Amino acid sequence: MAPEECYFNIPVLLISTTVSFLSVHSTIVEKPVFKWLSKQTGREQELQQQKLALKNEQSLLSMVDEFAKYSKLQRRINVIDRELEQIKGEKPTNSFVLQLGFTYGVKLVFALLLIVLSLYYRYTPVLYLGDKVNLMPFTNFICYPNEANYVSFYFWVMCCVTVARLI
């Protein structure tokens, strides 16, 4: 027997809305993870500080008048640049294949999670609209596989994904 008033299945509503939104906007998850993975190590920070100090010292010199000192500082800066490039090259986050795999991996995880949730909550209505609402001619589409005036998990996820893409 259906209740008289509208009601929401809050846990299912929150879970489905959140996962639907994250499946479309997976960069919300990806960006912090990439930022954490590509965070500079202590050695990189130290080299960057040394390079900045050498550049500041070099900017105080006249290239024409003190060419020997200027060139010596430039060689030291070049050594630091090579070491920084070597350190950055060793990091796995610089790999294009890894970034692409991680990006689509996150999307795949959310898609699989939506499939599992759809199977788990297939007979659980997300909300009931009440007896006063008539959904004709879309009743079967909105309610499947539930009774009339219930919004199914499938329809709710489809609406959430559509709205998330529009945002």
Side-chain angles (χ1 to χ4, degrees):
M1 177 106 186
E4 291 295 318
E5 297 179 18
C6 296
Y7 80 91
F8 299 96
N9 190 340
I10 301 295
V12 176
L13 186 76
L14 290 176
I15 290 170
S16 61
T17 305
T18 305
V19 174
S20 299
F21 185 81
L22 287 175
S23 71
V24 173
H25 298 289
S26 58
T27 56
I28 293 171
V29 176
E30 295 167 19
K31 283 184 181 179
V33 172
F34 273 133
K35 191 174 182 180
W36 178 74
L37 286 175
S38 62
K39 189 172 124 180
Q40 285 187 338
T41 62
R43 179 69 180 146
E44 282 178 294
Q45 290 174 351
E46 179 185 322
L47 288 172
Q48 287 288 357
Q49 289 173 352
Q50 287 177 5
K51 180 180 173 181
L52 184 63
L54 290 172
K55 285 239 183 221
N56 287 338
E57 187 178 338
Q58 189 181 37
S59 68
L60 299 174
L61 299 175
S62 170
M63 187 174 173
V64 176
D65 296 337
E66 301 176 72
F67 182 75
K69 256 187 185 176
Y70 189 91
S71 297
K72 189 175 181 182
L73 288 174
Q74 186 60 48
R75 284 192 297 271
R76 288 174 59 193
I77 290 171
N78 291 344
V79 168
I80 290 174
D81 281 340
R82 281 192 294 273
E83 193 172 341
L84 281 171
E85 286 298 319
Q86 181 183 7
I87 291 172
K88 286 181 182 178
E90 293 171 357
K91 282 187 173 182
T93 57
N94 292 339
S95 169
F96 176 73
V97 175
L98 179 70
Q99 289 179 350
L100 193 64
F102 185 74
T103 300
Y104 285 106
V106 169
K107 290 182 186 295
L108 181 68
V109 166
F110 282 123
L112 290 175
L113 185 59
L114 275 176
I115 290 170
V116 168
L117 289 173
S118 294
L119 292 174
Y120 186 76
Y121 289 120
R122 72 179 146 226
Y123 297 114
T124 307
V126 176
L127 57 105
Y128 177 70
L129 300 173
D131 292 330
K132 296 178 183 174
V133 177
N134 187 359
L135 300 174
M136 284 305 278
F138 305 106
T139 303
N140 290 336
F141 181 67
I142 294 171
C143 300
Y144 180 79
N146 302 312
E147 299 173 22
N149 291 347
Y150 284 97
V151 176
S152 69
F153 186 85
Y154 302 122
F155 184 76
W156 184 255
V157 167
M158 185 179 67
C159 290
C160 289
V161 167
T162 303
V163 169
R165 284 187 180 147
L166 291 173
I167 292 178

